[in-house]
Amino acid sequence: MDGAVAGSRGDGGRWGPYAAAITRWEMLTRPAPAPTDTAGRLRADFVEWMQGLDAGWVTATPGLGRPAQLTALGNGVVPQQAARALQLLDPPFPRCPRCADR
């Protein structure tokens, strides 16, 4: 099995209080991978999925092991957050007249 959780949509038993959020995100993206590996450690492909990145965006990078993948994902920018930040930083008002000549 590649780590995908068969029939995870609406699986409240597996996801507990997060089932509704997981289901919504699956409907917008793809089925959620298993969150942990057999040793109980966080899986990088699950983090990649939570951030809305394409499958393999980080995890299919040659030479990157699990720790480096998690570091890259942890230091990365979530595309949806970046888009919202740019919207908020683009003011709907004209530039300051005192700053126009700078």
Side-chain angles (χ1 to χ4, degrees), residues 15-29:
W15 301 107
Y18 305 104
I22 295 289
T23 299
R24 279 193 308 271
W25 196 234
E26 283 180 319
M27 293 173 75
L28 294 170
T29 59

Side-chain angles (χ1 to χ4, degrees), residues 4-54:
V5 179
S8 60
R9 292 178 192 225
D11 186 359
R14 176 168 181 82
W15 301 107
Y18 305 104
I22 295 289
T23 299
R24 279 193 308 271
W25 196 234
E26 283 180 319
M27 293 173 75
L28 294 170
T29 59
R30 61 186 181 279
T36 56
D37 62 15
T38 55
R41 300 175 306 172
L42 180 63
R43 289 175 48 138
D45 61 340
F46 181 70
V47 176
E48 189 175 61
W49 172 81
M50 284 194 312
Q51 292 183 348
L53 301 171
D54 291 337

Side-chain angles (χ1 to χ4, degrees), residues 7 14 45 56 58 78 93:
R14 176 168 181 82
D45 61 340
V58 172
V78 176
F93 48 85

Side-chain angles (χ1 to χ4, degrees), residues 40-86:
R41 300 175 306 172
L42 180 63
R43 289 175 48 138
D45 61 340
F46 181 70
V47 176
E48 189 175 61
W49 172 81
M50 284 194 312
Q51 292 183 348
L53 301 171
D54 291 337
W57 184 258
V58 172
T59 57
T61 302
L64 264 167
R66 180 184 160 278
Q69 291 171 0
L70 290 171
T71 298
L73 290 163
N75 289 333
V77 174
V78 176
Q80 297 84 354
Q81 288 177 320
R84 183 64 179 141
L86 290 173

